[in-house]
Amino acid sequence: MNIFTADDHHYMQQALRLAEAATRRAAPNPGVGCVLVRDGQVIGEGATLAVGSDHAEIQAIKDCYARGLSPAGATAYVTLEPCSHHGRTPPCAGRLIAEKLGRVVAAMVDPYHEVAGRGIAMLNAAGIPAAAGCLQAEAERVHRGFLSRVTRQRPFVTLKGAATLDGKTALLNGVSQWITGADARRDVHRLRAANCAILTGSGTVLADNPQLTVREVACTRQPLRVVVDSTLQTPASAAIYDTTVAPTWLATAVSDPARHAPYLARGVRLLPCAAADGRVDLARLLQALAADGINELMVEAGAGLGGALITAGLVDEAVLYLAPYLAGDAARGLFAWPALTSLDDKVPLTVSDLRLVGRDIRLTLTFPPR
């Protein structure tokens, strides 16, 4: 059993903050953070850059030299086990050995099959004490998108919803703008910016003609937009199919190339993936997104698609914005969900965060693993 000190926890927390800030930029790689410490002083720090560029350890070493120092003998605190294989870049474990680091503390082992403990073993074999497990639970949260893609072959899925306090998303006539206030809507843009892709359904496109882009906060790159439209009822002229703004995928059950043509002409990527019931196979869609390097997926959709994803066990987390007023029993609800005959069938959720955003309540809820 590895024993980590209070100092180890302190410096790993610093590395985790760096990792969290780099997560979106680094995708599909994990956004790793690294802090170099010697004699109680931070002598270098770094985080993973965009894919194909430096990993966190290399950035931290460069930062150390930029300060006029050497990393020899230092302890490296890294949020994910240093890689041991040649990918787009050389192995970080090899560079740490070459720089004569004194010790390496990782938050967790990298589950990617090319690493999976080999980085730790490589360091120990070279005489550099290395161990994983320092603040592992926190690291698993920061790296959850990468971990989901690698271990489950699907992105980590966050379902976003906005409703009144009695759970209504729109009036019976469809009017829904605006249920929540400006602060909550700005917070949604921050949530979009933190995800690799945004998923919506044909009903939302037809009702609102949304762009689904990040506009109100800083963003390193626009998320991929994904539309689920089983029968191709959304017009190719819809705003979301403007790929000069952001890339778009269209998942459909229609296999007719002639019907695909208007969307392809706008640069949209078509993904025919019909399920047995004639609808889009949502599990296959998520697998395709993972294969394309999507770590985190945000869902902004109507009650039908949201309910279907929950029913299929494909939602990991929900972020709900609740406005402090009532819309009445006849208004539209959050999720399409079959009537329960027993309370034993209810879906148990865990509240992981609760806060005010302006006048609205933001609830973060975790779904049970399936």
Side-chain angles (χ1 to χ4, degrees), residues 132-180:
C134 180
L135 298 184
Q136 178 165 324
E138 290 86 342
E140 288 174 348
R141 181 189 64 79
V142 170
H143 297 309
R144 62 190 189 177
F146 170 76
L147 297 176
S148 179
R149 181 172 63 81
V150 168
T151 64
R152 301 188 298 177
Q153 290 74 55
R154 73 164 177 83
F156 185 92
V157 177
T158 298
L159 178 60
K160 168 260 173 183
T164 59
L165 205 55
D166 52 348
K168 305 302 180 181
T169 62
L171 301 181
L172 192 59
N173 62 10
V175 173
S176 63
Q177 295 182 343
W178 294 103
I179 285 177
T180 54

Side-chain angles (χ1 to χ4, degrees), residues 219-310:
C219 180
T220 55
R221 53 178 166 162
Q222 288 290 343
L224 168 70
R225 299 162 310 172
V226 184
V227 179
V228 174
D229 185 355
S230 297
T231 60
L232 291 184
Q233 59 182 313
T234 54
S237 58
I240 201 166
Y241 298 130
D242 181 359
T243 57
T244 64
V245 176
T248 306
W249 281 21
L250 174 54
T252 183
V254 175
S255 58
D256 181 1
R259 295 191 61 193
H260 295 174
Y263 305 96
L264 295 173
R266 299 200 71 187
V268 174
R269 178 172 171 180
L270 264 292
L271 184 67
C273 52
D277 62 1
R279 299 182 180 181
V280 167
D281 187 326
L282 296 173
R284 274 181 58 197
L285 170 58
L286 296 195
Q287 289 169 359
L289 288 168
D292 206 60
I294 299 300
N295 290 338
E296 298 93 8
L297 175 67
M298 175 181 173
V299 179
E300 291 194 61
L305 181 54
L309 287 162
I310 295 171

